[in-house]
Amino acid sequence: LQDAADACSRGDLEDAKEILLWIQDQAKKVPSSSFNENVKNELMLLDIEIELVRLFNLDKRKAITEVSLEETEEIVIQIVNATGSVNSYMGMTVIVEPTGEGGVEYRVSVVKPDSYHVVRTVVPEDDQDEWITIGDMHWRIPFGPMPDMRESELAEAKSLLVDPYINLLRKRKANNSHSYKFFDEEFWVLGYDLDSGPELLFLDQITGGSINVEIWIDSNNNFISRTFVSHKDKESQSELKIVQAFSGFDSDLTIEEPTDFILEEINSSSDEESI
């Protein structure tokens, strides 16, 4: 399982699939009553992880055909209804800073209505931290030089979810829409040119220049599968890029109260916190 996870992280999806298929084949030889439940869960999570990496790497230039879409308003209603009603999903987010010196990568698992688990890695330093939110309670295990959690980080975690894109679909009309077919899979891509990005990954703080957003939708199930956000600073010409992938919708995910984390109570009226 670790070999499959490592291959997936490297982007070697074929190697990961071969390992998973081998594990699944071996699992069939073991009586179900003695097959470890944790291994079953790990297999499911690895399947979702492989799908996340695949969606993350989708590129319009690799599309076989490109067809303009009509009646996008009806499509948007289907997307909002389908994605907004799911109970659980996982996400992968990579933010590339304008300096080009690195960025931040997130893995997020979500169980609605109010539970999520976030692992954040800062590259290239590989500093990492992790937190779990269940309702109003927050747990934190800092791996790197990030010893405490602030309200801004809780807002940051919420911005990594699929909900901000659902809100964007509800409130704004797309500037353009296309259909891209990758072999036997079809994706709708809705494009937005925004002057601000409320609740969308800190972009409400950006001034000067437009924000370009692409929302990719799997036409088979109407789920938001991939998003691409970019903003180019007019003066420096540096570009902020944020790529997200979402998968594992309505999978049997659980987020439980941890026993070895730091419990943090966030005071909503100040930046002070008690541990």
Side-chain angles (χ1 to χ4, degrees):
L1 287 172
Q2 187 59 53
D3 289 343
D6 292 343
C8 188
S9 297
R10 296 192 307 270
D12 297 333
L13 302 189
E14 291 303 319
D15 288 350
K17 287 180 180 178
E18 286 186 15
I19 296 171
L20 279 175
L21 289 173
W22 181 86
I23 294 174
Q24 291 167 343
D25 184 60
Q26 296 300 308
K28 293 176 182 177
K29 302 175 184 178
V30 181
S32 58
S33 59
S34 62
F35 193 53
N36 191 305
E37 193 66 28
N38 288 334
V39 176
K40 290 182 181 179
N41 291 335
E42 288 293 329
L43 284 169
M44 179 193 73
L45 294 175
L46 277 172
D47 279 335
I48 295 174
E49 179 72 12
I50 286 175
E51 178 67 4
L52 282 173
V53 174
R54 187 185 71 82
L55 291 169
F56 180 86
N57 287 296
L58 285 179
D59 189 324
K60 286 188 297 186
R61 291 171 298 180
K62 300 175 183 176
I64 296 175
T65 61
E66 178 177 337
V67 183
S68 295
L69 279 179
E70 305 291 338
E71 305 298 331
T72 56
E73 291 184 7
E74 292 184 11
I75 294 172
V76 166
I77 293 173
Q78 297 172 21
I79 299 164
V80 169
N81 290 339
T83 308
S85 64
V86 298
N87 180 61
S88 60
Y89 59 91
M90 292 179 68
M92 170 185 175
T93 301
V94 175
I95 302 175
V96 181
E97 301 294 343
T99 59
E101 295 178 355
V104 185
E105 180 176 312
Y106 298 82
R107 288 291 196 281
V108 183
S109 53
V110 180
V111 179
K112 289 187 175 181
D114 55 3
S115 300
Y116 50 90
H117 170 218
V118 181
V119 178
R120 171 175 59 177
T121 304
V122 180
V123 292
E125 292 86 358
D126 287 333
D127 292 331
Q128 195 176 60
D129 67 345
E130 181 175 4
W131 65 80
I132 291 174
T133 290
I134 302 177
D136 294 329
M137 303 304 292
H138 313 283
W139 292 263
R140 179 70 168 275
I141 178 168
F143 297 117
M146 295 177 265
D148 54 21
M149 179 183 283
R150 303 291 178 184
E151 287 180 2
S152 60
E153 288 183 300
L154 296 176
E156 172 185 303
K158 289 181 180 178
S159 73
L160 299 168
L161 311 187
V162 75
D163 301 67
Y165 295 102
I166 296 176
N167 293 334
L168 176 61
L169 289 168
R170 285 194 179 114
K171 296 176 181 179
R172 305 286 186 103
K173 288 189 176 182
N175 294 90
N176 56 78
S177 57
H178 299 85
S179 173
Y180 293 95
K181 196 164 186 178
F182 295 82
F183 301 99
D184 58 344
E185 295 180 288
E186 185 177 15
F187 291 87
W188 296 320
V189 181
L190 304 184
Y192 296 81
D193 296 321
L194 309 175
D195 53 4
S196 65
E199 301 178 357
L200 198 63
L201 287 166
F202 337 116
L203 297 181
D204 55 328
Q205 302 173 10
I206 288 179
T207 58
S210 63
I211 300 167
N212 302 114
V213 180
E214 287 183 356
I215 301 179
W216 294 59
I217 302 97
D218 187 334
S219 65
N220 292 319
N221 50 34
N222 296 317
F223 291 150
I224 296 175
S225 298
R226 180 185 187 272
T227 62
F228 177 78
V229 180
S230 65
H231 171 266
K232 181 174 286 188
D233 186 273
K234 285 185 176 180
E235 294 184 3
S236 65
Q237 292 298 302
S238 61
E239 188 173 14
L240 172 68
K241 296 180 181 179
I242 305 168
V243 185
Q244 292 183 272
F246 301 99
S247 186
F249 290 103
D250 269 337
S251 296
D252 190 20
L253 299 174
T254 58
I255 298 175
E256 298 178 351
E257 179 178 322
T259 58
D260 55 350
F261 279 41
I262 300 171
L263 175 61
E264 299 188 339
E265 297 178 1
I266 306 298
N267 188 335
S268 59
S269 61
S270 70
D271 286 335
E272 295 180 359
E273 41 186 60
S274 59
I275 299 178

